[in-house]
Amino acid sequence: MNYKLLGKSDLQVSEISFGCMSLGDDDKAGKALLHKALDQGINFFDTADLYQNGQNEALVGNAFKGMRDKVVLATKVGNQMRLDGNGWDWNPTKAYILQAVEKSLKRLQTDYIDLYQLHGGTLEDPIDETIEAFEMLQQQGKIRYYGISSIRPNVIREYVQRSKLVSVMMQYSLLDRRPEEESLALLQENGVGVLARGSYAQGLLLGKSPKPYLGYSGGQVTAAAAAVAEVAGQERSEAEVAARFVLHHPAITSAVVGIRTQKQLQEAIQVAAADDLTEEQVQKLRSALQANTYEQHR
């Protein structure tokens, strides 16, 4: 397993990380999966207070009780569950963040969160207030670092200019190359680590039945999947190629992979052990279809 520093932090995170959102309701099976991932070298685990209304955090916290120094825990904030349990509302205010972090700390059974991320964001948010909350929690030692989870270039620019964030989590894959337009270069120039999610494009790059995706037609999706399969050949899996395409970009620190089963975990470990793609292979993939661009939030 390769490890990289996340942005300007001192967090050494595994190149393949565990997206905990995919974990099911079986706590025993989930705990075993998390332990096996750690044993295999994955040390970065990403959850959120929104997932399963906090139960996902509780599962992660229970799994790593007594092992806190061996894992890098990341969670997210900003989606406030309604009192009736019917959905949630966006709330990036300082007051809410300071309240929500206490509940996350309790569920995670820890005194501190390694990476606390805003779970979204818009230009209409009280951005300075949100940053102030993160800075306060950092000073109090309740979080070590903070970042945002956002695909919006205009929001990302604001946080790069106005805060000390160390990371941005964003969707990036062969079928979603929008971050290449400007965000990846901006983040790399400013020493902000990128956590890439969606490397497999909902399984469309792994042979799942094609469908229109982010402006691409079903035929274009098929062409991208065919290019992945061609590069994979007999020596690699499609998962290795899809994830290694993402990791090839120098701005990417880690690919966050959703893992729910032992098979998916093994697949992720194989990706971590796989060789890098060659420049020729990357160009073959890139030429399979024209890169898409952002239509909004530019």
Side-chain angles (χ1 to χ4, degrees):
M1 181 70 69
N2 294 322
Y3 300 87
K4 299 179 182 177
L5 280 174
L6 182 61
K8 295 179 180 178
S9 78
D10 63 358
L11 300 174
Q12 287 273 4
V13 302
S14 47
E15 194 174 46
I16 298 297
S17 45
F18 198 123
C20 300
M21 181 179 70
S22 298
L23 289 171
D25 297 325
D26 186 334
D27 286 3
K28 183 177 180 181
K31 186 175 180 180
L33 204 59
L34 290 167
H35 285 176
K36 187 170 183 179
L38 180 60
D39 290 342
Q40 295 288 325
I42 294 176
N43 76 336
F44 183 79
F45 299 85
D46 177 76
T47 180
D49 59 2
L50 179 66
Y51 302 159
Q52 298 163 295
N53 195 15
Q55 290 306 306
N56 197 269
E57 283 184 328
L59 169 57
V60 173
N62 186 48
F64 294 127
K65 186 177 182 180
M67 311 180 190
R68 186 65 183 87
D69 60 330
K70 297 181 180 179
V71 296
V72 179
L73 295 183
T75 191
K76 309 182 195 76
V77 66
N79 295 291
Q80 183 175 15
M81 293 297 299
R82 295 172 186 155
L83 293 177
D84 62 5
N86 185 24
W88 59 85
D89 298 300
W90 179 239
N91 189 349
T93 63
K94 178 181 178 181
Y96 176 67
I97 291 172
L98 296 182
Q99 167 195 334
V101 72
E102 300 298 337
K103 295 178 181 178
S104 288
L105 287 167
K106 185 175 181 179
R107 286 190 290 260
L108 289 167
Q109 300 187 52
T110 183
D111 296 328
Y112 66 94
I113 294 163
D114 293 298
L115 180 67
Y116 204 35
Q117 303 159 99
L118 185 67
H119 204 171
T122 73
L123 288 183
E124 290 69 45
D125 293 345
I127 294 177
D128 288 332
E129 183 179 320
T130 302
I131 294 169
E132 185 179 338
F134 285 136
E135 295 282 353
M136 179 179 293
L137 291 174
Q138 200 170 29
Q139 292 168 6
Q140 293 173 347
K142 293 179 180 178
I143 67 173
R144 294 183 65 191
Y145 300 98
Y146 64 90
I148 63 172
S149 177
S150 176
I151 62 171
R152 298 180 174 188
N154 53 9
V155 172
I156 290 170
R157 281 196 301 271
E158 290 300 315
Y159 275 90
V160 169
Q161 294 169 5
R162 296 157 69 171
S163 78
K164 299 176 183 176
L165 85 170
V166 301
S167 67
V168 173
M169 180 178 287
M170 61 170 58
Q171 184 168 294
Y172 178 49
S173 72
L174 181 60
L175 278 171
D176 188 0
R177 290 168 56 195
R178 294 176 297 175
E180 294 178 359
E181 189 177 356
E182 63 173 80
S183 295
L184 293 182
L186 173 69
L187 295 169
Q188 188 178 2
E189 289 167 7
N190 286 274
V192 178
V194 178
L195 303 168
R197 59 178 177 82
S199 303
Y200 304 148
Q202 298 178 1
L204 295 175
L205 294 173
L206 309 185
K208 187 177 178 180
S209 297
K211 64 177 182 179
Y213 184 77
L214 294 177
Y216 290 119
S217 67
Q220 289 172 309
V221 171
T222 298
V228 169
E230 183 180 350
V231 170
Q234 301 297 316
E235 299 178 357
R236 295 176 181 263
S237 68
E238 283 87 348
E240 289 176 34
V241 173
R244 281 288 155 192
F245 172 82
V246 169
L247 290 168
H248 183 269
H249 197 290
I252 307 300
T253 304
S254 182
V256 183
V257 179
I259 298 172
R260 187 185 183 92
T261 66
Q262 294 285 349
K263 181 180 178 181
Q264 289 171 342
L265 174 58
Q266 190 56 43
E267 190 174 69
I269 297 303
Q270 289 174 352
V271 169
D275 292 334
D276 294 332
L277 297 180
T278 65
E279 289 294 334
E280 182 181 358
Q281 289 172 325
V282 171
Q283 290 309 314
K284 180 184 286 288
L285 294 170
R286 287 179 175 277
S287 64
L289 72 172
Q290 185 175 351
N292 53 346
T293 56
Y294 284 110
E295 297 179 1
Q296 299 177 313
H297 314 297
R298 300 173 66 91

